[in-house]
Amino acid sequence: MSQTIENSYAPPLKGSSAIARRSLTKAKLWRRIKPFLYLAPALILLSVWMYKPLITTFYLAFHKWNMVPGTEKKFVGLDNFDRLFHNPAFIDSIGNTVFYTVGLLPFSILVPLVLAVVTNNMNGKMKNFYRGIFFIPMILAPVSVSAIWRWLFHPSNGVVNHILLKMGMIDQPIAFFSDAHYAKWIILFITGWKMIGFSVIMFSAALTSINREYYEAAAIDGASSLRQFINVTVPLMSPMIMFMLMMSILFSSQWTFAYIDILTTGGPYGTSTNIYYEMYRYAFSNLNVGFSSAAALVFFFLFGAIALLLNAVSRKLSFYDN
């Protein structure tokens, strides 16, 4: 007995293929939009606090405005830039900016690198203790730090003047923050002292990622501690060294701003100022926001070019242990 089985297929419902295509399109669209929804809070914050002020700075650099509500912005073209490069105070601030940038390199790279290597060879508790001691200045408020150093270098009852007088190194107290020979050097020292702890922590974190087998192999080959530091530690730390070099060059003037503002206000006679403090003074002391924006625009492109150059150098010189 034979049985015939007939397979019958129902025709597709009208419009079902269109619905499927729409569902597939919605799914693809959702997959594309979903990452941007996660990024939306960060993008909104960046737009409000970074990109909008940056665009406004570009706009104001070509205008004259005193920031008084109700006053109009007057378009002056390149006049702000012309006056800027003929301003002696601005030229002096560039020289001081270079001074702070170069002067902070030992405090942000050389000294912290040595301290990180030394503390890395200590026992666990002592290692953390010393790293904590080094990092304490970094978490102190600039106002508090400035008050402490102002008292230490006070011309009449400061500890530094008292010690120097007792040792016979000076005949009369020195007004350090009012003396053109000392003011910017002290600002440099205070900023460097505060930044050492941050760099030590960064270098210490990089040291923990180095495989100890490299040092064991170098020791077996008879390499001294100095040779191990030069031939093993420095090459493997090169990415972090280049990163801290970039940080120091790009942000050194920003780090010194608070101490200049609180301790010297750029004096005496502009010997301790820098470009960031001059931009602040142009806008909020002279009420010339266009002039300040022009200076900011100049250094935006200058520091941008420096950052690109340092990135290119870092890609060539940094060694990664893969």
Side-chain angles (χ1 to χ4, degrees):
M1 178 178 180
S2 62
Q3 184 177 5
T4 304
I5 301 176
E6 296 182 356
N7 292 327
S8 61
Y9 296 93
L13 296 176
K14 185 177 182 180
S16 60
S17 59
I19 295 174
R21 285 196 299 269
R22 284 198 297 268
S23 300
L24 184 60
T25 303
K26 289 181 180 180
K28 289 182 179 179
L29 182 62
W30 172 248
R31 284 198 298 269
R32 292 179 180 179
I33 294 176
K34 191 175 180 181
F36 293 98
L37 294 178
Y38 288 111
L39 293 173
L43 293 175
I44 292 172
L45 290 175
L46 284 173
S47 300
V48 172
W49 297 110
M50 182 174 293
Y51 300 126
K52 183 179 181 295
L54 183 60
I55 294 172
T56 304
T57 301
F58 272 74
Y59 173 76
L60 292 174
F62 301 95
H63 291 75
K64 183 178 181 180
W65 186 44
N66 58 9
M67 292 191 297
V68 176
T71 58
E72 294 184 359
K73 304 174 183 66
K74 180 182 178 181
F75 179 77
V76 294
L78 298 176
D79 182 62
N80 286 329
F81 296 93
D82 181 63
R83 292 172 52 218
L84 188 67
F85 288 107
H86 288 87
N87 188 343
F90 179 74
I91 303 301
D92 292 340
S93 70
I94 295 176
N96 289 335
T97 301
V98 175
F99 169 80
Y100 289 127
T101 301
V102 176
L104 280 177
L105 292 179
F107 295 99
S108 60
I109 297 178
L110 297 181
V111 175
L113 182 58
V114 173
L115 293 176
V117 172
V118 171
T119 55
N120 191 59
N121 295 325
M122 294 181 177
N123 295 327
K125 292 184 178 180
M126 294 302 297
K127 179 192 303 184
N128 296 331
F129 172 77
Y130 280 106
R131 288 177 179 175
I133 292 295
F134 295 144
F135 193 71
I136 285 176
M138 184 63 196
I139 62 178
L140 296 177
V143 175
S144 302
V145 171
S146 300
I148 294 171
W149 286 100
R150 178 181 289 166
W151 170 72
L152 289 173
F153 287 100
H154 196 275
S156 59
N157 57 3
V159 175
V160 175
N161 272 311
H162 178 73
I163 293 174
L164 293 177
L165 287 170
K166 286 291 185 181
M167 297 177 63
M169 299 180 67
I170 57 175
D171 298 327
Q172 58 183 1
I174 301 173
F176 289 99
F177 296 114
S178 302
D179 194 317
H181 295 93
Y182 298 102
K184 68 179 181 180
W185 286 97
I186 296 176
I187 295 294
L188 174 65
F189 176 77
I190 294 172
T191 309
W193 166 80
K194 187 174 173 63
M195 293 309 302
I196 284 177
F198 173 73
S199 298
V200 169
I201 294 298
M202 296 296 290
F203 285 133
S204 298
L207 278 171
T208 58
S209 63
I210 298 178
N211 193 333
R212 301 303 302 177
E213 293 180 358
Y214 292 116
Y215 295 101
E216 295 172 1
I220 293 174
D221 292 338
S224 62
S225 299
L226 179 60
R227 298 304 303 177
Q228 292 180 29
F229 174 77
I230 295 174
N231 296 332
V232 178
T233 304
V234 173
L236 294 175
M237 291 276 289
S238 57
M240 181 58 68
I241 293 174
M242 293 303 301
F243 172 75
M244 292 307 301
L245 176 64
M246 183 183 301
M247 289 279 291
S248 183
I249 291 176
L250 297 180
F251 296 105
S252 57
S253 296
Q254 184 176 336
W255 293 334
T256 57
F257 173 85
Y259 307 108
I260 294 173
D261 185 39
I262 297 171
L263 296 173
T264 66
T265 61
Y269 311 111
T271 56
S272 64
T273 189
N274 66 13
I275 183 59
Y276 280 91
Y277 190 76
E278 286 301 301
M279 287 190 288
Y280 167 80
R281 193 171 62 83
Y282 295 152
F284 298 102
S285 296
N286 301 342
L287 295 179
N288 192 343
V289 69
F291 204 52
S292 176
S293 298
L297 195 58
V298 169
F299 273 82
F300 171 79
F301 286 109
L302 178 61
F303 284 131
I306 293 174
L308 291 175
L309 177 62
L310 289 175
N311 272 324
V313 173
S314 179
R315 285 194 294 268
K316 291 184 177 181
L317 298 182
S318 297
F319 175 79
Y320 296 92
D321 179 21
N322 294 324

